Amino acid sequence: MQKLFACFFTLCFLQAFSQPEKPSSVEIYHKLQKLNFLGSALYIAAHPDDENTRLISFLANEEMARTGYLSLTRGDGGQNLIGLELRELLGVIRTQELIEARKVDGGEQFFSRANDFGYSKIPDETLEIWDKEKVLQDMVWIIRKFRPDVIINRFDHRTPGSTHGHHTSSAMLTQEAYYLANDPNYEPQQLKYTTVWQPKRVLFNVSWWFFGGRENFEKADKSKYINLSTGTYYPMLGLSNQEIAALSRSKHKSQGFGTSGARGDDMEYLELIKGDNLKDKQNLFEGIDTTWNRVKNGAAIGEAISAIIKTYDFKNPSAALPGLIDVYNQINSLENGYWKNVKLEELKTIIAACAGLYMEAYSESQSVTPGGSVKMHWEAINRSNVEMTLKSITILPQNRTIELNLPLKDNAGKEDVAEITIPVDAQYTSPYWLQEKGTSGMYIVNDLQKIGKPDVIRETEAVFTVEINGTPISFTRLLTHKLNDPVKGETYQPLDIVPQVTTRILNKVQLFKDNKPQTALVKITAGKDNCKGNLFFELPDGWKVSPSFIPFELDRKGSETVVSFEVTPPPHPAEATAKSIAIIDNRQYDREQVIIDYPHINMQQVLLPSIARFTKADLKIKGEKIAYIMGAGDNVPESLKQMGYEVALLTPEAISAETLNGFDAVIMGVRAYNVLDALALKQHILFNYVENGGNLIVQYNTTGHLATRDIAPYPLRISRDRVTEEDAKVTFLNPTHPVLNYPNKISQKDFQGWVQEQGLYYPDEWGKEFTPVIASNDKGESPKKGAILVARYGKGYYIYTGLSFFRELPEGVSGAYRLMANLIGIGK
């Protein structure tokens, strides 16, 4: 029978937090086939979206290999097409999107501690900011733990400077990790938990974009490459491998990477970089024993599994249970080793699925504080005629065991409720890589055992011990929260461990334009009943806060109150970090709770320092009313309100001559022309608005799809030019230009303190009507003059800017406020 692939993609139709797995008969059969393949492959690249889902799906579902994707970063430095989250919160979203993608294509997900600090032009810069040695240590650790027979790089280690520096670095580091993973003298502390490992070969996954386009690739001589046919069709699913890959790829929603599936022949090209040549170009595992013969005393196990596969009854999977229990005992009796542990976990899933053995544990509440208690509901049901007994349930990490000895008769469920107490020293639920403040290039994770893990680490579990045909087997289930939603029905959410109280400074940036005091608002949220304490609001010397503290008392868990402090800024320009701290029984609580809840990923609780940016700026504004057309998503409108403008958010459909009348400026959000096709029909209205005296400010767009190529009233070509060094020296090309002088006098100081990047996707060609205002460049490059282009059009001004206002304004960078005010105020 043709190989079948597990219907992983069905998981994407479940509720936001995954329900207990309920495999179909076809999925069980696929898992049995994978049980008899002992080989693994690791795909390595730099970011979420770099992975080749066609190849991952092929390896996992046609080759049956254990397949992993190591993304060195979590994609923190990119943009967000579905919401306003940036930086570490965007990294949390993209982490979950990768986890969901792997559920679809059958792979497993890994990460290093590297932080995606933004675009990098050369690997030398990347590896300096990342801390090359730490990233290399992580890669070696993951290789030793995962033990790939084959490693595949998405990028070419021999082409520095031709693509993103992160990309090339991921391939360069792989070449070193290949050898170091097998060196017992390298990072010997890792060997307390694993062993050295030598992959059989390393390959480079060649693609058309390395040839400058599809047409060039079609003409290129590809005879030196391995030509791997990956256009497999799975008739029992009615899907091609490419369609599965497209479903996986479409999980990258924050990047707008939804894609349609393809059908028919497909080819992946791979170049051998290290290891033995292949005679059979369709077998990446040539020369590797991928049968049970690679395990001492394993031959009989392979034969037994083959017999079960041969006689598998799709209508009655439980008929395989006696043989599966025998295989379980055989594997369990092997010497401890990598494949023993991997295959025992795979087999337990198969046994439960064949038996229709459903087990779950869920709480009545969605959150609990350390030391608090929750009611745990548990259920266990056997839907086969094989004799079983539920011996016990052990609650972790407390190691509390509930002895039961309950017979599980065919289709007769058992359930009960137990109250469990969370340890007083339990860690709060939050992404482990965000628990300590990292650097611009690295997250801080000091626990070796956590490094590489993709997801939030949740420790509250229920271990069901079930005796099947006289063999006790333990099945671990995460304790979740389950509820019935009137619209969605049965809904699962994670059980989060939360602080007794969290606080949030409501204005993440607060701007002071003069010496007058302002009110700072702080929301306090109770994580348990009866929270009583004092709230303090801290600012550096020179800032005055009144009162010194505010008492609070919250009777019910989840209740909130908002309190206010009066803040007086120093007399001179300054930027400061404000912090809110609640004190209960002499213990400090300084975390803000952020909930990320999108339908395509698991709901996430992120606990971050409760801080905000306070800026005293020498800022003058001209004009009052601004229309803002949101593009890919940014927080610029909130910053504009802080500056003193009245801001109206408009959709493209709302743009009309009458609507725009009365606005001093219209500002297009980042990537507006990339994501709002309706703008193509509104350009003449926008240009008429400018011609009649308005100012139109267009923020950066990428070189990809544009709603219209005529985004400006004069010739303008967007390029990939950018200045990634946020502190790059700026030259004023026309020091007397109004943008640099009115209503704020711009100086070099206004370009200090910028974050992540100075600007991106600058135009490289423009009509004579445009005046470039500033120039800057990264080290070793020629000056880029497309950061601010100003053109008079009729009575008004059209301005295109690639400066990263969408990053600088929400960070409270005073110079960015002053410069934006000048763009808005030109001609006024």
Side-chain angles (χ1 to χ4, degrees), residues 743-780:
N744 303 287
K745 179 68 174 178
I746 302 300
S747 71
Q748 293 291 337
K749 289 183 179 179
D750 290 300
F751 289 93
Q752 294 175 3
W754 285 48
V755 299
Q756 185 162 328
E757 60 201 345
Q758 201 172 91
L760 61 169
Y761 290 98
Y762 292 170
D764 62 352
E765 291 183 10
W766 50 83
K768 61 180 178 12
E769 297 84 356
F770 282 104
T771 300
V773 177
I774 63 173
S776 63
N777 56 273
D778 291 326
K779 293 181 181 66

Side-chain angles (χ1 to χ4, degrees), residues 498 502-504 525 591-595 605-608:
V498 302
T502 56
T503 67
R504 174 181 173 82
T525 304
R591 297 282 124 172
E592 170 187 345
Q593 182 192 55
V594 179
I595 299 297
Q605 169 181 275
V606 184
L607 296 175
L608 298 173

Side-chain angles (χ1 to χ4, degrees), residues 174-211:
T174 299
Q175 312 312 309
E176 295 186 52
Y178 170 81
Y179 294 109
L180 291 174
N182 198 38
D183 182 356
N185 296 315
Y186 182 78
E187 293 300 310
Q189 71 275 14
Q190 295 181 2
L191 303 181
K192 298 176 185 176
Y193 311 102
T194 185
T195 60
V196 295
W197 181 250
Q198 180 68 73
K200 184 74 171 179
R201 51 182 63 95
V202 176
L203 303 115
F204 161 45
N205 187 191
V206 182
S207 179
W208 60 266
W209 21 278
F210 294 100
F211 287 77

